[in-house]
Amino acid sequence: LCGVALLAVGIWVSVDGSSFLKIFGPLSSSAMQFVNVGYFLIAAGAVLFALGFLGCYGAQTENKCALMMFFLILLIIFIAEIAAAVVALVYTTMAEHFLTFLIVPTIKKDYGSQKDFTQVWNTTMAGLKCCGFNNYTDFEGSPYFMKNHTFPPYCCADDGNGTTTEPCTKEKADVKIVQGCFSQLLYDIRTNAVTVGGVAAGIGGLELAAMIVSMYLYCNLQ
């Protein structure tokens, strides 16, 4: 059911992202705004749906092969999540360089030309009170900059609130020094570390429970 729900939302975002943002705008300041949200949700929904179907099919038909596949896929996902968490905690700088390599070129290519992408980033910068991924230089060479010869207003506004009425030039952006969204996101995550840790622990617990149940059924089937 969760897989179907994610698939539906992913297709909705991909087809009509602007209406999605109008409804869920206040909730849109999250890590997922740095990537193509729609395709990410479609992929996650498809994996969850296939995994759930495999587990239900194996339990219902007492198919040991399906149960073992379900267990192994969950185990791989669980190990990958642990590895990702370790990398994120221990190698934050490496993760930042990797994300910069992926995200900054996309900003330079699509910000100002792709409506949904631009709107997502505007919502992100307004919600997190930040500018770009690293700073205002991420927008140099973007369609928005080439057209207006200025940076987004969030890069020059007080506290990144985007209320400035004057053009955001390089000189003004240098003076304001609005921090990048990656730094702000890390700060928010650390501030809410207990909540983030609780959610991660809950997901890990569910995965462990599913693996235990599937292995129990596998071992007790004739």
Side-chain angles (χ1 to χ4, degrees), residues 31-164:
M32 285 174 60
Q33 293 171 327
F34 295 131
V35 297
N36 191 313
V37 183
Y39 292 129
F40 178 86
L41 291 177
I42 290 174
V47 171
L48 277 178
F49 177 77
L51 191 59
F53 176 81
L54 188 63
C56 291
Y57 172 79
Q60 181 68 28
T61 61
E62 299 184 348
N63 188 310
K64 299 185 72 173
C65 180
L67 287 172
M68 180 54 69
M69 287 181 61
F70 176 78
F71 173 83
L72 291 176
I73 294 173
L74 262 184
L75 180 62
I76 292 172
I77 293 174
F78 185 73
I79 293 173
E81 288 172 348
I82 294 177
V86 171
V87 170
L89 290 173
V90 180
Y91 301 102
T92 303
T93 302
M94 182 185 297
E96 181 177 2
H97 290 323
F98 177 72
L99 290 173
T100 300
F101 177 75
L102 292 177
I103 295 166
V104 173
T106 307
I107 294 176
K108 293 182 180 296
K109 175 177 176 289
D110 293 334
Y111 187 84
S113 62
Q114 297 293 331
K115 181 179 178 181
D116 290 342
F117 180 83
T118 303
Q119 189 171 1
V120 167
W121 265 100
N122 287 341
T123 306
T124 301
M125 292 188 287
L128 295 181
K129 302 184 186 305
C130 58
C131 168
F133 184 77
N134 297 304
N135 51 47
Y136 73 91
T137 60
D138 295 342
F139 296 100
E140 292 180 341
S142 67
Y144 180 93
F145 182 83
M146 299 302 293
K147 178 181 178 181
N148 301 289
H149 301 291
T150 58
F151 298 99
Y154 309 96
C155 300
C156 292
D158 294 329
D159 299 324
N161 56 24
T163 58
T164 182

Side-chain angles (χ1 to χ4, degrees), residues 10-28:
I11 294 172
W12 177 18
V13 172
S14 298
V15 174
D16 190 13
S18 57
S19 66
F20 180 84
L21 284 174
K22 288 179 182 177
I23 297 175
F24 297 99
L27 303 176
S28 59

